[in-house]
Amino acid sequence: MTAQTVQQGDLVTVIGLEVHVQLETDTKIFCGCSTEPTDEPNEHVCPVCLGLPGALPVLNEAAVEAAVKIGKAIDADIPEETRFHRKNYYYPDLPKNFQITQYDEPICADGELEVSVEGTRRSVTIQRAHLEEDPGSLQHVGGGIDTADYTLVDYNRAGTPLMEIVTAPDFRSPSEVRAFLAELEEVLEYLGVFDAERDGSLRIDANLSIIPEAEIDGDGVDEIGEDALEAANRTEVKNISSHKGAEKALAYEETRQKNAIQRGRAVEQETRHWDESRGITVSMRSKEEEKDYRYFEEADLPPLRVSGWKEEIAIPELPSARRERFQEEYGLSEEAASKLTSTKQVADFYENVAREFDPDLAATWVADNLLGELNYRDMEITEIADRLEEVTRLVELVAEDEITAKNARETVLRSMLDDGKTPDEVVDDEGLGKTDEDEVQQAVVEAIDENPDAVEDYHSGEDGAINFLVGQVMQKTGGSADPGDVNQLLRAELE
């Protein structure tokens, strides 16, 4: 990845990510327990995901298919054979005291993902992406992780299929990390393997080191030597669950480490917890090394072979490709294309509207009007998925000149979202149907006759007077006339 280094004196920030993505499957990765969210603790559990003696895992085919889709999307190598291993460590959320994961034979390796940072497209190296099971979840009661009175354990999440996506240390600033996570989430949603609305669906562990600028190899190219990376004590920051949270947590940690180094203090290699409520990282424990986990092969699962199957697994057009096509096929600006491909649902809806109406009109209504009103209400397009035909009908009313764009945007759309009415119901209730041409012309004549001062101001060169007269006509027609048409009619009559 080519990027500008973030410098403070002669120090450079180096960041690598481990992104844990919950895969959207009906059941857990090694058992038949449901993955549906529930408010009841320890409801979706069984002997397998609780790690009871004698219980044996059985691999979920849907989880493997989702992993292959991710591998194809990041242009990764998917080997002929891959294996599962046991990662051994003790923590209360891990009922077996080991996690079934993949070690030196992951299902995806050597991939990449292009991301736009400040208008420049860059390629982030993805070293590996592997399948594993999620631990349970901990609830700290009476405070944070370091201040709680006690902690509760819920094993409903234990065994949920995870894809861990591990990047190279390619990032040089927290803002680059945020841009990458946004792009990655878009890709995962397009693939249909991820639900961003699910609690805990995306969790990030970030490794951050500060190294001397002199350790950068090459002439301005930010490749960090292996020796420099080994020599720099890095911290792993856990408990990050959003793009914004990642940027804030890493900005804090970057500042903390640089301040320590500049004051002559050593940076300890440790694992730290991001306390979002306080906006700080707190020390959890000294950072484990790979050998501490005592990886060994999972004897209860045979080798996984997907080579003969992976070619049959199709993936959809991805966000970056769709953005480019929208610009070429529909003549959209980069900004409009970016808005319209922000989610697959938005992109699909735009294309459905653009097939029936002018692409620019469709873009204005979907990207600006609809998404703008949804954002104002803190809503997603998925929340009105069953009403998109009504929105298309509203665009039709505007396209066929049956109502004004202003009334459609400011009255009809807002009433549809706030009151649940159909566009035709709002038009009828508010009397917004377009006034015919004779009525508008009559209103223009009346407005001129009733406002001689404004007419005199217009003829004196005060062009702002025309706006007053337009307002008078709109008042007479109940807002149903088109302001642009009224402006033209007024000017013609006044001349």
Side-chain angles (χ1 to χ4, degrees):
M1 175 179 175
T2 302
Q4 282 190 326
T5 56
V6 176
Q7 301 176 15
Q8 180 171 321
D10 60 350
L11 300 176
V12 177
T13 301
V14 181
I15 303 170
L17 301 179
E18 298 169 10
V19 186
H20 301 83
V21 178
Q22 279 190 354
L23 300 178
E24 276 296 290
T25 58
D26 293 333
T27 56
K28 296 182 180 181
I29 188 169
F30 299 122
C31 68
C33 290
S34 172
T35 57
E36 278 298 307
T38 175
D39 293 331
E40 290 297 319
N42 300 308
E43 179 181 14
H44 295 161
V45 295
C46 73
V48 175
C49 55
L50 287 177
L52 300 183
L56 297 175
V58 177
L59 182 58
N60 184 339
E61 182 178 332
V64 179
E65 183 174 345
V68 172
K69 286 182 178 181
I70 293 172
K72 286 188 167 187
I74 62 175
D75 196 26
D77 293 334
I78 302 174
E80 295 292 316
E81 183 175 289
T82 183
R83 296 175 184 274
F84 286 94
H85 290 75
R86 293 184 180 185
K87 180 180 181 180
N88 293 271
Y89 65 95
Y90 172 77
Y91 207 64
D93 59 6
L94 198 66
K96 296 189 294 286
N97 292 337
F98 66 84
Q99 179 189 35
I100 300 178
T101 182
Q102 293 185 306
Y103 178 44
D104 53 358
E105 296 180 80
I107 194 167
C108 303
D110 299 324
E112 64 178 9
L113 183 67
E114 281 201 354
V115 58
S116 181
V117 180
E118 298 178 357
T120 302
R121 297 295 293 178
R122 300 173 185 166
S123 180
V124 175
T125 298
I126 295 176
Q127 295 176 333
R128 56 184 285 141
H130 62 263
L131 280 166
E132 63 185 23
E133 59 181 339
D134 210 351
S137 56
L138 303 179
Q139 299 174 21
H140 304 294
V141 180
I145 190 171
D146 57 338
T147 58
D149 296 329
Y150 58 92
T151 298
L152 300 174
V153 186
D154 182 1
Y155 289 122
N156 281 328
R157 197 178 72 186
T160 299
L162 280 187
M163 194 74 170
E164 181 175 338
I165 299 169
V166 182
T167 76
D170 281 352
F171 305 99
R172 300 295 173 264
S173 74
S175 61
E176 289 182 4
V177 168
R178 182 172 182 174
F180 170 81
L181 292 172
E183 183 74 22
L184 176 62
E185 189 170 298
E186 276 188 17
V187 168
L188 295 170
E189 286 183 329
Y190 267 68
L191 294 173
V193 301
F194 170 76
D195 180 8
E197 299 301 309
R198 187 187 286 266
D199 184 43
S201 59
L202 187 78
R203 303 194 300 279
I204 303 108
D205 296 342
N207 292 288
L208 187 147
S209 304
I210 305 295
I211 71 167
E213 183 184 359
E215 299 292 343
I216 300 176
D217 295 339
D219 184 14
V221 179
D222 55 345
E223 293 294 333
I224 308 298
E226 289 295 327
D227 292 342
L229 286 173
E230 287 293 328
N233 277 351
R234 70 181 186 276
T235 57
E236 181 180 33
V237 183
K238 288 183 173 287
N239 193 44
I240 303 172
S241 58
S242 68
H243 314 160
K244 185 178 179 181
E247 186 174 31
K248 290 174 65 177
L250 292 170
Y252 175 88
E253 187 60 22
E254 178 184 55
T255 301
R256 186 190 72 83
Q257 289 193 30
K258 286 183 175 179
N259 286 342
I261 292 169
Q262 291 182 337
R263 291 170 183 169
R265 298 201 301 266
V267 174
E268 291 186 22
Q269 182 159 308
E270 61 179 339
T271 298
R272 297 181 69 86
H273 174 90
W274 168 239
D275 188 327
E276 192 164 5
S277 62
R278 291 189 286 171
I280 63 172
T281 64
V282 295
S283 181
M284 291 175 63
R285 58 183 179 269
S286 61
K287 183 166 174 53
E288 298 92 343
E289 296 181 13
E290 194 172 271
K291 63 183 181 182
D292 296 326
Y293 292 119
R294 296 185 298 112
Y295 286 96
F296 59 86
E297 208 171 293
E298 172 54 74
D300 293 329
L301 288 169
L304 173 62
R305 299 183 178 95
V306 297
S307 57
W309 177 43
K310 64 184 179 184
E311 300 307 324
E312 301 173 10
I313 299 174
I315 63 172
E317 184 181 31
L318 297 176
S320 58
R322 208 165 190 183
R323 278 192 288 271
E324 291 178 10
R325 180 169 65 80
F326 276 18
Q327 293 179 68
E328 294 174 5
E329 185 173 333
Y330 299 114
L332 301 179
S333 67
E334 184 178 349
E335 181 182 3
S338 182
K339 285 183 182 179
L340 290 168
T341 55
S342 58
T343 70
K344 189 174 184 298
Q345 293 86 351
V346 169
D348 288 345
F349 179 57
Y350 167 72
E351 291 221 80
N352 289 336
V353 177
R355 288 190 192 104
E356 296 187 43
F357 306 104
D358 176 75
D360 285 337
L361 176 67
T364 296
W365 270 93
V366 178
D368 298 332
N369 298 340
L370 178 59
L371 294 185
E373 292 295 334
L374 290 174
N375 288 338
Y376 178 75
R377 290 162 177 77
D378 198 25
M379 294 173 65
E380 300 290 338
I381 196 168
T382 50
E383 296 178 57
I384 60 163
D386 59 342
R387 302 187 65 201
L388 293 180
E389 286 187 8
E390 294 178 17
V391 180
T392 304
R393 169 59 179 158
L394 178 56
V395 177
E396 181 183 22
L397 291 172
V398 176
E400 295 184 355
D401 214 28
E402 294 186 31
I403 59 175
T404 67
K406 183 175 186 293
N407 281 338
R409 182 179 63 252
E410 296 181 2
T411 303
V412 182
L413 179 58
R414 292 174 184 175
S415 184
M416 287 171 62
L417 295 175
D418 293 337
D419 305 324
K421 295 182 178 180
T422 68
D424 291 295
E425 287 173 341
V426 180
V427 169
D428 290 342
D429 292 348
E430 300 293 334
L432 298 178
K434 274 244 185 132
T435 307
D436 66 41
E437 192 173 335
D438 290 341
E439 287 183 57
V440 177
Q441 184 63 45
Q442 180 61 34
V444 166
V445 172
E446 290 177 4
I448 290 174
D449 290 344
E450 294 170 5
N451 297 281
D453 291 343
V455 173
E456 185 178 345
D457 289 342
Y458 173 78
H459 287 301
S460 299
E462 294 184 23
D463 203 50
I466 198 74
N467 295 329
F468 172 79
L469 292 171
V470 168
Q472 296 301 301
V473 175
M474 295 302 292
Q475 209 170 39
K476 290 177 178 293
T477 60
S480 59
D482 183 275
D485 293 344
V486 171
N487 191 300
Q488 291 182 7
L489 289 169
L490 278 167
R491 290 181 187 276
E493 190 71 27
L494 288 167
E495 294 301 327

